[in-house]
Amino acid sequence: MDKLLIRGGRSLQGEVLVSGAKNAALPELCAALLTAEPVTLLNVPQLQDVSTMLKLIRNMGVVAERADDGTVRIDASGLNTPEAPYELVKTMRASVLALGPLLARFGEATVSLPGGCAIGSRPVDQHIKGLAAMGAEIVVEHGYIIAKLPAGWKRLKGARITTDMVTVTGTENFLMAAALAEGETVLENAAQEPEISDLAEMLIAMGAKIEGHGTSRIRIQGVEKLHGCTHRVVADRIEAGTFLCAVAATGGDVVLRHGRADHLDAVIEKLREAGADVQAVEGGIRVKSPGGATLKAQGFRTTEYPGFPTDMQAQFMALNCIAQGTATVTETIFENRFMHVNELVRLGAKIQVDGKVAVIEGVPRLSGATVMATDLRASASLVIAGLVADGETVLDRIYHLDRGYDCMEAKLRGIGADIERVKA
Ligand code: UD1
């Protein structure tokens, strides 16, 4: 297994390019299943999760070609196997995003249950409930969600769907299914993440009729057919937020090309309160920071967009570890998302966890050690901690990082970090 070797203590300077968003690219690859015409996606990030999704759709009989410049061409005219097998789903929960499009276009779908994952149980009951409200007959057996249209039906039927909680991939599944359903679907309590809006824009470019995306009520008038399109994947706000935290913690002056400050309000506000100077600039975001102990620790609660993202909790915690004062961080979205804490403590951080609450008392310095990545964003948090720690940090199990960050170590090296990948 590859490792990262980080020698901490350098400030970061220069420019770094923000890639397309993982969490937009994954549903958008599935949206291409909704039409028999060719779809072109631009700015698709080079990630393990994208490779897994491509494998998943190719396995259905879809032709998908990926070029080095981030262009992916998908031709789903030959889709003949509306199935997502366990072997692929188990490595990537987002595979459940195939359910809505397959059901809408093919009238049936067999998708493995994603099962638990490191950060909590992550059920898909809401996805099932919403699609059932649109008329799908769904049974869960032998570890699979088996869904089909009732006998004699040609399309799903529009419905009013109110989920028990805000769910991002749930909202995406409903959007894609409703785009081809008969009549109107209204999604109440819809997720408002920028990736939802990006998916909605892509569907509109394919001929879908959608209003209200970016708010908690989305209306979709189903159409009979969708056509091909070319769509550019929105910039990854979590990758950008990760770089912002890295620069804020190490100190430095970096421009994040293509970064969208308007998608990171909650994180940027906290960084400013911590003492970093973060500004939207033409075509990106600029962050300047004195770094280290000049920063003030900041408490926050993770919530749905536009609140503080759970996907940024671990990275901001790394910054809090070396800031002045004490901060209380509350994780409200996932039940078990503090696995980075024990590893940060190995680097010298002072953190107490009680259920969903972590209290971080800033220390003057962290010291390099061997640590282990446990999930995607936890890995990013350990990279940030390694960049500020004295001496050498070795980060093991970085396949988690490769799932969701496009060339992270090369990008960090480009702005002056001393970081290298050690091949297994
Ligand atoms: C998406 C993101 C992930 C992010 C998360 C929250 C993708 C591919 N992944 O995950 O990076 O951390 O949003 O911002 O976009 N829930 C249920 N039943 C359901 C669905 C969800 O109980 O049917 C619960 C989940 O367990 C969780 C909460 O609802 O506690 C929110 O989850 P959800 O928004 O669905 O997360 P994902 O879409 O899986």
Side-chain angles (χ1 to χ4, degrees):
M1 269 182 269
D2 290 4
K3 297 177 183 177
L4 282 182
L5 176 61
I6 307 167
R7 293 180 200 89
R10 293 211 187 173
S11 70
L12 302 176
Q13 311 281 340
E15 236 183 66
V16 65
L17 201 69
V18 177
S19 296
K22 166 176 96 68
N23 287 353
L26 297 176
E28 287 165 4
L29 287 166
C30 291
L33 304 178
L34 288 165
T35 177
E37 293 181 19
V39 167
T40 302
L41 287 175
L42 309 174
N43 201 31
V44 178
Q46 295 280 353
L47 308 172
Q48 193 51 46
D49 273 7
V50 167
S51 306
T52 306
M53 190 59 92
L54 288 172
K55 220 188 256 179
L56 190 83
I57 64 175
R58 284 180 186 132
N59 192 55
M60 297 171 187
V62 171
V63 178
E65 285 162 12
R66 177 183 190 168
D68 289 341
D69 66 355
T71 304
V72 174
R73 291 191 173 80
I74 305 141
D75 177 348
S77 58
L79 200 162
N80 53 22
T81 314
E83 283 174 24
Y86 177 67
E87 289 68 43
L88 292 170
V89 176
K90 72 175 180 199
T91 63
M92 188 185 60
R93 211 192 106 83
S95 313
V96 74
L97 286 164
L99 185 61
L102 287 177
L103 199 50
R105 160 112 183 269
F106 219 80
E108 61 174 276
T110 302
V111 174
S112 171
L113 279 173
C117 80
I119 63 175
S121 62
R122 303 185 80 172
V124 289
D125 55 310
Q126 301 299 308
H127 299 241
I128 294 174
K129 175 175 121 170
L131 294 169
M134 298 174 79
E137 293 177 345
I138 305 182
V139 291
V140 178
E141 54 186 24
H142 310 301
Y144 279 82
I145 307 165
I146 302 166
K148 60 177 173 41
L149 294 184
W153 284 36
K154 291 223 158 32
R155 296 160 69 190
L156 289 165
K157 282 202 170 60
R160 191 178 187 87
I161 301 174
T162 310
T163 45
D164 298 357
M165 77 289 293
V166 178
T167 155
V168 175
T169 47
T171 302
E172 290 165 347
N173 249 332
F174 305 148
L175 259 180
M176 293 187 281
L180 281 182
E182 210 179 302
E184 185 181 67
T185 297
V186 181
L187 306 180
E188 300 284 3
N189 207 17
Q192 303 176 43
E193 270 69 2
E195 294 76 24
I196 304 272
S197 297
D198 201 55
L199 171 65
E201 294 300 336
M202 171 180 173
L203 292 169
I204 290 167
M206 293 171 77
K209 295 199 171 126
I210 302 173
E211 278 174 18
H213 44 293
T215 76
S216 61
R217 177 184 290 136
I218 307 180
R219 281 178 189 277
I220 305 115
Q221 295 292 341
V223 296
E224 255 180 68
K225 234 179 143 180
L226 293 172
H227 51 74
C229 76
T230 296
H231 175 78
R232 185 178 172 82
V233 179
V234 67
D236 196 318
R237 66 196 162 96
I238 305 300
E239 187 197 23
T242 302
F243 285 124
L244 289 180
C245 285
V247 178
T250 59
D253 182 355
V254 171
V255 172
L256 311 185
R257 250 328 122 220
H258 297 164
R260 291 279 301 262
D262 58 328
H263 292 166
L264 277 163
D265 285 335
V267 175
I268 289 176
E269 199 170 299
K270 288 289 164 192
L271 286 169
R272 287 184 181 142
E273 284 165 13
D277 176 11
V278 187
Q279 304 294 339
V281 294
E282 175 84 34
I285 311 172
R286 181 170 185 179
V287 51
K288 288 192 266 184
S289 168
T294 55
L295 301 172
K296 289 190 203 70
Q298 298 300 316
F300 57 86
R301 283 172 74 82
T302 62
T303 55
E304 296 84 10
Y305 190 84
F308 194 102
T310 173
D311 285 353
M312 281 302 303
Q313 179 255 105
Q315 300 91 311
F316 208 106
M317 190 185 290
L319 179 154
N320 277 337
C321 288
I322 46 106
Q324 277 174 37
T326 299
T328 302
V329 168
T330 309
E331 170 60 51
T332 75
I333 307 288
F334 292 111
E335 58 198 25
N336 187 23
R337 209 171 195 184
F338 282 141
M339 277 168 315
H340 42 289
V341 166
N342 284 338
E343 302 302 297
L344 289 169
V345 168
R346 285 178 50 72
L347 297 172
K350 271 196 181 167
I351 308 170
Q352 297 288 338
V353 174
D354 184 5
K356 291 175 161 231
V357 179
V359 178
I360 304 107
E361 191 187 321
V363 294
R365 52 184 281 275
L366 297 177
S367 65
T370 297
V371 287
M372 200 173 73
T374 48
D375 69 67
L376 173 55
R377 306 305 170 184
S379 319
S381 129
L382 295 170
V383 169
I384 296 172
L387 292 174
V388 293
D390 291 349
E392 251 179 41
T393 295
V394 177
L395 177 58
D396 209 345
R397 302 203 178 169
I398 56 166
Y399 55 85
H400 291 291
L401 204 66
D402 294 334
R403 276 192 43 223
Y405 285 91
D406 188 349
C407 308
M408 190 191 223
E409 79 273 10
K411 288 187 183 185
L412 284 169
R413 238 189 348 265
I415 49 176
D418 187 345
I419 178 168
E420 63 186 290
R421 179 179 290 251
V422 182
K423 291 265 174 202

